[in-house]
Amino acid sequence: MWVKAVDIVLDHMVMQGSDLSTVAAIGGSAQQHGSLYWSHHGIHTLKNLDPEKFLHVQLDDSAFTVKRTPIWMDSSTEKQCIEMETAIGGRTKMVSITGSKCYARFTGPQIRKIYQERPHVYEETKRISLVSSFLASVFLCDIAPIDYGDASGMNLFDIKMKNWSAQCLNACAPDLYERLGKPVPTSTIIGNVGNFFVHRFGFPVDCKVTAFTGDNLSALSGMVVEQDCLVMSLGTSDTLIMNLKEQVHLEGGHVLCHPTELNHFMGLLCFRNGSLVRDDFNKTEANCDWAKFNELLDSTPRGNHGNMALHLRSVEIIPNIKGVLRWNRNNSRKSKESSKGVQKFLSPQTEVRALIEGQMIHKRAVAEDMGFHFGRNTKIIATGGASVNKSILQVISDVFNATVFVQNKSEAALFGAAFRAKYALYLNSFKNVNGTYYEESLIGKESTRPLSYRDYIIQYIPHHLQLLCEPSKDCDQIYSPMLERYRDMSIVLAKV
Ligand code: ADP
């Protein structure tokens, strides 16, 4: 299906008049965690594709040893997660090596399951690709390396050493290194486009292919954020993405290798109780009308007269707790009775503000724990479905005491892929000496070092952010004490 999709997309592009002979480099982004298993025959076919025929006719089932690709929605590998963590000495060790505890959807546990349940299939597998490196392989007409960023979503990669962790590989399956191949930095040129694409679609012979990466990583590169930007995605699930200078240890979050800053990391936090709870309140309190919902929200003051709520209907990821708790201004942890809070607030206005403020205070507390430093220059970039809602964005601005922007262009992951390809091409015009780039003719002179990814790309997108909300003057005074109350409320919920 995925191979056929490449046939279809390229045919459409040609039919719509795209001149593919002008393509200088190709970058890519694909869903994280999924894995593909190449057979010996598949690799041979990939290297010898006939431009007269469709890709899917040639790279058919026989090219792969596993016909149904495991993807991120597969949660059937809890057993393998426990085995892998135990084998390397525990969860803490797994987090410190790979940046994440073992997750069922992560590729390492998925590979282990195949090795255990279908050993002959594992035996016949010559190479394993992630969805991103698989797609790059198709364009390269050879097996493409896995990039550091997407490798960080496998529970196999040492994110500090930038290589596969021998301990994690051993805990997963035998002879895995040769099946995964040597990983590469994300903004790397991995070769020229394969002959198939030159002859069938007219790509130039020297068109470069850069390493492809996972969608969240690509989205971060598409937003071209500064160090003090926090990306808040309010889509089907709420997500916070941030730049981290150092690896922090947080069991419920993910730390990945940064897609564009080689020695930095990317923090990724997911929240289960986000838009689904907001959708539900929109239904019960505002008759499914976001305009009405916003009227309710806007008619209450910041701080909500001391009324606060946590609506964690499903078990939250961080903190790992569940439950609903409403506190009015008098509730506190001082006595057991008082800490139970109230059943319901007196008005829908109070309910709605308590929900949104509670959700955002929760996110701020978790981001701080993750090591994100809030300061005067902090900016938030909002994306996803709810980022059209200015009343919600104003609450975010106030709670985080930060300006909130939205991006003028949507499809950040797609733009990220294109930007990385462009930057990789730029870097390629410099000479790489032990990981440092210099202008070819002037090796050794500091001044000839290339621009950073951000400084280079920003020239092409000068007005990509639109300022939507600024924090109110009194917000720190109001929300700092509420942050403390939030921590008390989560302690209460943890005990329930
Ligand atoms: P996905 O992550 O699947 O791409 P979207 O980014 O399209 O999802 O976001 C979908 C969510 O956007 C819905 O669950 C809904 O809660 C939210 N949404 C859409 N419009 C609004 C709005 N005006 N105000 C608040 N939330 C909204």
Side-chain angles (χ1 to χ4, degrees):
M1 195 169 73
W2 280 339
V3 175
K4 198 168 183 176
V6 180
D7 278 324
I8 294 172
V9 168
L10 286 168
D11 274 350
H12 274 257
M13 288 180 78
V14 170
M15 267 153 43
Q16 287 173 10
S18 307
D19 179 1
L20 298 175
S21 72
T22 62
V23 178
I26 304 171
S29 154
Q31 57 173 286
Q32 283 186 269
H33 311 305
S35 46
L36 289 101
Y37 300 77
W38 293 94
S39 65
H40 180 74
H41 170 71
I43 298 172
H44 179 78
T45 310
L46 180 67
K47 290 180 177 173
N48 295 283
L49 288 168
D50 178 352
E52 299 293 320
K53 297 181 187 153
F54 281 116
L55 282 172
H56 74 271
V57 175
Q58 303 179 73
L59 292 173
D60 59 9
D61 272 0
S62 65
F64 306 98
T65 54
V66 176
K67 311 286 183 283
R68 295 182 69 86
T69 309
I71 62 158
W72 63 273
M73 294 177 85
D74 185 333
S75 56
S76 65
T77 64
E78 284 301 337
K79 171 176 164 280
Q80 287 76 16
C81 287
I82 295 166
E83 288 168 355
M84 283 181 64
E85 286 185 347
T86 309
I88 68 155
R91 175 165 293 178
T92 307
K93 191 90 185 285
M94 182 60 82
V95 176
S96 89
I97 297 174
T98 72
S100 302
K101 66 177 184 172
C102 260
Y103 285 94
R105 66 178 182 283
F106 274 40
T107 325
Q110 296 284 343
I111 293 173
R112 181 164 175 79
K113 185 177 169 196
I114 289 173
Y115 160 67
Q116 286 181 328
E117 295 186 358
R118 289 181 282 168
H120 61 285
V121 164
Y122 183 76
E123 197 52 44
E124 280 162 21
T125 302
K126 291 290 164 253
R127 293 295 298 267
I128 300 174
S129 293
L130 292 180
V131 185
S132 57
S133 69
F134 156 74
L135 203 52
S137 305
V138 173
F139 282 100
L140 201 60
C141 297
D142 200 348
I143 300 296
I146 294 175
D147 78 289
Y148 292 172
D150 224 4
S152 319
M154 299 174 78
N155 289 135
L156 296 176
F157 187 68
D158 186 326
I159 60 171
K160 262 199 294 294
M161 303 308 291
K162 320 281 183 217
N163 206 346
W164 301 117
S165 149
Q167 275 178 296
C168 296
L169 294 190
N170 289 340
C172 180
D175 305 320
L176 191 48
Y177 193 101
E178 63 203 47
R179 286 172 170 80
L180 296 173
K182 192 173 176 341
V184 294
T186 305
S187 297
T188 308
I189 289 179
I190 54 173
N192 287 350
V193 74
N195 265 336
F196 174 88
F197 292 90
V198 175
H199 295 299
R200 190 171 174 90
F201 295 107
F203 282 91
V205 182
D206 60 351
C207 171
K208 304 294 177 209
V209 180
T210 55
F212 287 19
T213 193
D215 49 3
N216 283 310
L217 294 131
S218 198
L220 182 66
S221 29
M223 295 194 204
V224 203
V225 299
E226 297 154 36
Q227 187 63 32
D228 36 23
C229 276
L230 188 66
V231 177
M232 188 180 294
S233 169
L234 303 167
T236 300
S237 58
D238 286 356
T239 312
L240 286 181
I241 302 177
M242 65 198 86
N243 290 314
L244 296 172
K245 282 200 171 135
E246 277 160 30
Q247 182 192 352
V248 293
H249 187 99
L250 197 69
E251 290 196 355
H254 308 298
V255 181
L256 303 98
C257 286
H258 197 283
T260 56
E261 300 294 329
L262 199 52
N263 295 315
H264 289 187
F265 299 93
M266 165 178 151
L268 179 71
L269 298 165
C270 294
F271 296 83
R272 282 216 182 98
N273 296 281
S275 69
L276 294 182
V277 185
R278 289 192 295 275
D279 286 346
D280 219 36
F281 269 67
N282 185 34
K283 201 188 284 170
T284 54
E285 306 292 343
N287 214 5
C288 297
D289 178 357
W290 286 113
K292 176 93 197 325
F293 182 94
N294 290 351
E295 262 175 44
L296 298 173
L297 181 59
D298 292 339
S299 62
T300 38
R302 289 181 290 286
N304 209 12
H305 301 297
N307 296 301
M308 270 184 82
L310 284 184
H311 291 274
L312 308 178
R313 295 182 181 178
S314 328
V315 180
E316 192 46 84
I317 300 169
I318 318 175
N320 197 231
I321 54 177
K322 181 180 173 181
V324 173
L325 187 61
R326 291 177 174 88
W327 274 12
N328 64 25
R329 66 163 70 168
N330 300 318
N331 294 118
S332 75
R333 268 179 71 211
K334 285 212 175 79
S335 77
K336 194 159 183 235
E337 205 44 45
S338 174
S339 71
K340 285 184 189 156
V342 295
Q343 272 301 314
K344 191 99 175 119
F345 293 126
L346 295 177
S347 70
Q349 287 86 343
T350 312
E351 283 290 345
V352 166
R353 181 161 282 272
L355 166 74
I356 302 297
E357 287 188 342
Q359 286 191 330
M360 299 313 157
I361 290 170
H362 172 193
K363 290 186 177 59
R364 175 164 179 163
V366 175
E368 278 182 0
D369 294 346
M370 181 92 178
F372 187 82
H373 177 70
F374 288 92
R376 277 154 42 111
N377 298 326
T378 306
K379 286 185 193 141
I380 292 177
I381 304 179
T383 66
S387 66
V388 298
N389 188 320
K390 205 166 166 213
S391 303
I392 293 180
L393 296 188
Q394 186 60 54
V395 176
I396 296 173
S397 181
D398 290 334
V399 169
F400 283 80
N401 194 5
T403 42
V404 174
F405 294 79
V406 290
Q407 202 168 22
N408 289 336
K409 292 191 180 87
S410 56
E411 304 294 359
L414 186 74
F415 276 98
F419 294 161
R420 285 193 318 280
K422 186 156 181 69
Y423 186 64
L425 213 52
Y426 165 70
L427 274 190
N428 205 40
S429 64
F430 291 77
K431 191 162 177 70
N432 185 344
V433 182
N434 298 332
T436 307
Y437 288 91
Y438 297 96
E439 203 170 314
E440 188 101 40
S441 56
L442 297 163
I443 290 177
K445 296 197 177 157
E446 275 301 300
S447 56
T448 59
R449 299 277 295 279
L451 295 173
S452 71
Y453 172 82
R454 186 174 183 280
D455 290 347
Y456 179 70
I457 293 298
I458 211 83
Q459 311 172 75
Y460 300 97
I461 44 165
H463 304 297
H464 71 303
L465 294 180
Q466 187 191 348
L467 175 67
L468 273 199
C469 302
E470 290 190 273
S472 317
K473 292 222 159 33
D474 57 359
C475 58
D476 199 37
Q477 232 171 311
I478 292 172
Y479 291 106
S480 291
M482 287 173 76
L483 211 58
E484 294 312 308
R485 286 190 95 203
Y486 154 80
R487 293 191 192 278
D488 281 350
M489 290 173 77
S490 52
I491 292 170
V492 172
L493 273 184
K495 287 186 184 152
V496 175

